[in-house]
Amino acid sequence: MYTPNILVNKVLDYDVIQQVKLILYVQDTPLQSQPGERSFTATTTITVNIKDIDNRPPWFQPCTKVTVGSAKICLSLGYRGRVNLTEKQDGALQLQPGPVYARDGDRSRNEEISYKIVRGNEDNIFQIDENSGNISMLKPPDIAGPISLLVLAFQLLNRDQFATTSVTIDVMKKSRNPPRFEKERYEGYVYSNSGPENMVLRDKMSNRPFRVRARDEDFASGINPDIKYEVQYSSYVNITTDGFILLKKAVRTDAFALQLRAVDVSTGESGTAALSVNVLPPVGIQSQDESYRAGDMALLGFVMAALLVLCLIVIGYLISRVKKGNSDAFKLSEGTQGGPDPGVQT
């Protein structure tokens, strides 16, 4: 090649490569030189710096990067927060998974971003800081329920580069009482040969399942439909939505303890209680300190009751016989004393 033009053969991704180094080789004779022909060569290094262009919009954080062909996009699930009905909260609202924040998708350019609420704020309850993206309240909400805001983030120097996300604010009736379990400590039982999905039992004398309940005094009935139960600090059990405790696997210990948690999912408030679970010998095998089980005691009680009834029947029969015998003897005595003597003539 006699004209050393350097051409780009494919699109360069700035996220992958920011600089390319080339070695240029030069020779003052044809590459296929004649034998004995003198040739001089030289080399030099060419450094090509890749410049990032403005071809990506702002990306709301956190987000998940996805590649579609040669394009890269970042998907955000939006933000969520809660406020109390008829109350105005001071300062920036606490949102999940964090405050509203977007950065330039072209990471080396880092263009300045501005924010705006474009939909959902018709009652002017909220406002957003154009520079930071923090959302605050202008007045208290008067209707319970979710408020969905559509937030726009755009580059100040190039407003054609923009992105939107959703911010859902749940307006909640203020809770005055957190969920509370009926007891602070519970005790349950399970057999050592019990497997997954078997229930923890209420006591060791019956097969009644163990169940917990949490009350919420904010409700007249004490029943809050938004309460969710959780198990903490144990891998042995799960808890159902109705408060029953189920085994996840076989138990390899004499006892284990855990913490139960009742969460009001609408307010985030919670209450806890401790549960100790004792592991009993398998059904049919008595422990050293347990002589009879409930079934044995029931059978023994039935037999004793039957014997008692039988004894009462026998005693009643004997009493009736004795009474009848006394009555016959009395009649015989009267007949002997009141009749005429056949050997005496009048």
Side-chain angles (χ1 to χ4, degrees):
M1 179 181 294
Y2 296 98
T3 303
N5 294 326
I6 300 176
L7 305 176
V8 178
N9 289 330
K10 64 178 182 179
V11 176
L12 299 176
D13 187 348
Y14 181 84
D15 291 339
V16 177
I17 185 170
Q18 293 85 44
Q19 190 180 82
V20 176
K21 287 188 176 182
L22 306 174
I23 305 298
L24 181 62
Y25 176 87
V26 62
Q27 180 177 311
D28 65 351
T29 60
L31 294 178
Q32 302 296 329
S33 57
Q34 298 298 323
E37 184 179 3
R38 296 187 65 182
S39 178
F40 297 93
T41 62
T43 59
T44 188
T45 300
I46 301 175
T47 301
V48 180
N49 294 309
I50 311 302
K51 182 180 179 181
D52 197 8
I53 62 173
D54 187 12
N55 64 341
R56 289 177 183 161
W59 287 350
F60 284 98
Q61 304 298 308
C63 64
T64 302
K65 292 183 180 179
V66 178
T67 300
V68 181
S70 60
K72 291 184 179 180
I73 58 178
C74 212
L75 302 178
S76 171
L77 298 179
Y79 304 86
R80 199 173 195 99
R82 60 166 57 97
V83 297
N84 290 329
L85 181 67
T86 70
E87 289 187 4
K88 177 180 176 294
Q89 181 175 321
D90 296 330
L93 299 181
Q94 298 296 316
L95 304 177
Q96 296 294 333
V100 174
Y101 172 68
R103 65 174 180 84
D104 191 355
D106 303 306
R107 65 178 186 176
S108 71
R109 298 181 66 88
N110 197 25
E111 298 286 351
E112 188 175 357
I113 306 297
S114 186
Y115 304 89
K116 183 179 181 180
I117 299 177
V118 294
R119 193 174 64 199
N121 194 34
E122 289 76 11
D123 294 331
N124 293 319
I125 297 174
F126 305 99
Q127 66 178 357
I128 189 168
D129 188 296
E130 294 182 352
N131 299 316
S132 67
N134 287 331
I135 296 178
S136 57
M137 300 183 69
L138 293 172
K139 62 181 181 180
D142 56 3
I143 299 177
I147 298 177
S148 298
L149 306 176
L150 184 65
V151 174
L152 173 73
F154 56 91
Q155 295 181 11
L156 282 178
L157 298 181
N158 182 9
R159 301 198 175 207
D160 289 333
Q161 296 289 14
F162 66 89
T164 60
T165 190
S166 64
V167 178
T168 303
I169 308 296
D170 294 312
V171 181
M172 314 299 303
K173 294 181 180 178
K174 187 174 181 178
S175 174
R176 292 175 173 81
N177 299 282
R180 293 186 183 278
F181 285 97
E182 296 172 339
K183 297 168 59 177
E184 293 184 356
R185 293 183 176 276
Y186 294 90
E187 190 172 17
Y189 300 87
V190 67
Y191 293 110
S192 60
N193 60 345
S194 299
E197 302 302 322
N198 281 16
M199 286 186 172
V200 173
L201 303 179
R202 181 177 176 179
D203 55 63
K204 56 184 177 181
M205 302 302 293
S206 69
N207 288 325
R208 289 183 297 174
F210 174 84
R211 185 182 185 184
V212 293
R213 293 182 179 91
R215 294 180 58 84
D216 191 334
E217 298 303 326
D218 290 335
F219 294 79
S221 64
I223 300 175
N224 183 347
D226 293 324
I227 286 182
K228 176 184 177 183
Y229 295 106
E230 299 175 355
V231 170
Q232 295 179 315
Y233 316 127
S234 176
S235 60
Y236 281 124
V237 297
N238 280 325
I239 186 168
T240 69
T241 56
D242 296 321
F244 294 103
I245 311 295
L246 302 179
L247 286 177
K248 294 168 58 178
K249 59 183 179 181
V251 181
R252 306 300 182 190
T253 184
D254 295 333
F256 61 93
L258 54 99
Q259 181 169 278
L260 301 172
R261 184 168 180 255
V263 184
D264 185 343
V265 296
S266 65
T267 64
E269 295 179 315
S270 64
T272 59
L275 171 62
S276 299
V277 180
N278 300 306
V279 181
L280 304 175
V283 178
I285 300 178
Q286 295 181 350
S287 62
Q288 295 179 356
D289 58 348
E290 184 182 18
S291 57
Y292 295 101
R293 294 197 178 276
D296 301 329
M297 298 299 293
L299 179 60
L300 178 61
F302 176 78
V303 173
M304 293 182 67
L307 290 175
L308 178 61
V309 171
L310 181 61
C311 289
L312 292 175
I313 292 174
V314 172
I315 292 172
Y317 175 76
L318 291 176
I319 291 174
S320 65
R321 294 289 297 173
V322 169
K323 287 183 176 180
K324 183 177 181 181
N326 290 339
S327 176
D328 294 342
F330 179 74
K331 291 180 178 179
L332 180 61
S333 175
E334 284 184 343
T336 302
Q337 294 178 2
D341 187 352
V344 179
Q345 295 182 355
T346 59

